[in-house]
Amino acid sequence: DTGVSQNPRHKITKRGQNVTFRCDPISEHNRLYWYRQTLGQGPEFLTYFQNEAQLEKSRLLSDRFSAERPKGSFSTLEIQRTEQGDSAMYLCASSPRVAGLETQYFGPGTRLLVL
Amino acid sequence: AQTVTQSQPEMSVQEAETVTLSCTYDTSESDYYLFWYKQPPSRQMILVIRQEAYKQQNATENRFSVNFQKAAKSFSLKISDSQLGDAAMYFCAYQTGANNLFFGTGTRLTVIP
């Protein structure tokens, strides 16, 4: 399967701990996006990369959140000092860079539960 | 600010029948894209259909079609000949040249055998 993959699929942690999620985009997709989805809501944009450059960050991305995409391949999203409000599904998507319409392809998500 | 509104939290349809899911959006942009994504229970989000705002012709993908009314900022999804596998959360989404998606709150579709 050559789709977007995310690891881990589930993460349970205690409040105050740090967590890191990984996203592997579709090969040759140079744009990578992170979204957060809380129960009963649609996904909300967090940040996106074009190759290794982080081009945009949402106001939702507090200073406890950091994302990287070294070498423009996989990406990591780290949450420091987790809070119960961080409990959500974290979705990764990738898209190719083509002129005009770009479709984002989503991974299965990482479901985070902060106790 | 861009907003996407899905006013139907839940919908149901009899198998083989047709159902229409509503979506409205607000934007000051003239060039944008609209999408319908499907999210089955505990499964990943997949693209159902997409529409470029500059195209007047409504997009169609097999049993899925849209009614795009640009002046009214309306983008509804019609599912014909509904199948059990169509049961899912359906999200309407909007995208500008900045490329991040703005999603609605979703409509949960139940297909009744």
Side-chain angles (χ1 to χ4, degrees):
Chain A
D1 182 53
T2 57
V4 178
S5 62
Q6 292 186 246
N7 288 288
R9 295 291 306 278
H10 302 273
K11 179 70 176 178
I12 300 175
T13 191
K14 293 182 179 179
R15 187 178 50 165
Q17 298 294 305
N18 299 342
V19 294
T20 299
F21 310 141
R22 175 176 171 132
C23 171
D24 287 87
I26 294 172
S27 178
E28 298 180 358
H29 279 193
N30 57 5
R31 293 197 175 188
L32 186 149
Y33 305 79
W34 285 100
Y35 294 85
R36 182 175 71 184
Q37 185 179 20
T38 53
L39 203 60
Q41 299 296 317
E44 296 173 293
F45 169 74
L46 292 178
T47 187
Y48 95 92
F49 293 83
Q50 182 167 301
N51 299 313
E52 66 276 8
Q54 188 173 16
L55 296 188
E56 188 173 349
K57 293 194 290 186
S58 161
R59 287 172 295 178
L60 292 175
L61 211 66
S62 76
D63 55 6
R64 295 185 298 106
F65 287 70
S66 62
E68 294 183 343
R69 192 183 181 197
K71 302 178 182 178
S73 55
F74 71 92
S75 176
T76 58
L77 178 67
E78 181 183 17
I79 309 175
Q80 296 182 326
R81 306 181 302 280
T82 53
E83 301 173 355
Q84 289 184 326
D86 297 332
S87 296
M89 175 78 86
Y90 290 85
L91 298 170
C92 176
S94 70
S95 69
R97 185 183 181 187
V98 296
L101 178 60
E102 296 184 17
T103 296
Q104 295 182 25
Y105 297 88
F106 283 81
T110 295
R111 186 173 294 281
L112 172 67
L113 178 61
V114 181
L115 301 176
Chain B
Q2 295 88 353
T3 58
V4 178
T5 302
Q6 294 180 249
S7 59
Q8 306 154 317
E10 297 184 354
M11 291 283 285
S12 61
V13 61
Q14 206 77 31
E15 194 175 3
E17 296 297 310
T18 295
V19 65
T20 298
L21 308 184
S22 301
C23 173
T24 58
Y25 59 94
D26 188 24
T27 183
S28 58
E29 304 284 341
S30 59
D31 190 18
Y32 51 89
Y33 310 105
L34 297 163
F35 302 82
W36 278 98
Y37 278 89
K38 168 185 176 182
Q39 189 175 40
S42 302
R43 295 183 62 186
Q44 67 196 77
M45 193 158 328
I46 58 175
L47 178 69
V48 174
I49 197 166
R50 62 189 185 189
Q51 173 85 40
E52 293 96 322
Y54 66 86
K55 290 186 176 180
Q56 294 185 340
Q57 186 174 8
N58 289 326
T60 300
E61 287 287 342
N62 300 314
R63 298 182 296 107
F64 299 88
S65 61
V66 299
N67 183 5
F68 174 47
Q69 301 290 326
K70 190 171 184 179
K73 296 181 182 174
S74 171
F75 183 62
S76 60
L77 173 69
K78 185 171 81 171
I79 306 174
S80 304
D81 186 25
S82 297
Q83 301 175 359
L84 295 177
D86 295 334
M89 281 291 286
Y90 285 81
F91 292 98
C92 178
Y94 161 99
Q95 182 183 52
T96 66
N99 293 124
N100 57 282
L101 289 162
F102 294 91
F103 285 88
T105 52
T107 296
R108 182 176 303 280
L109 179 66
T110 301
V111 181
I112 303 166

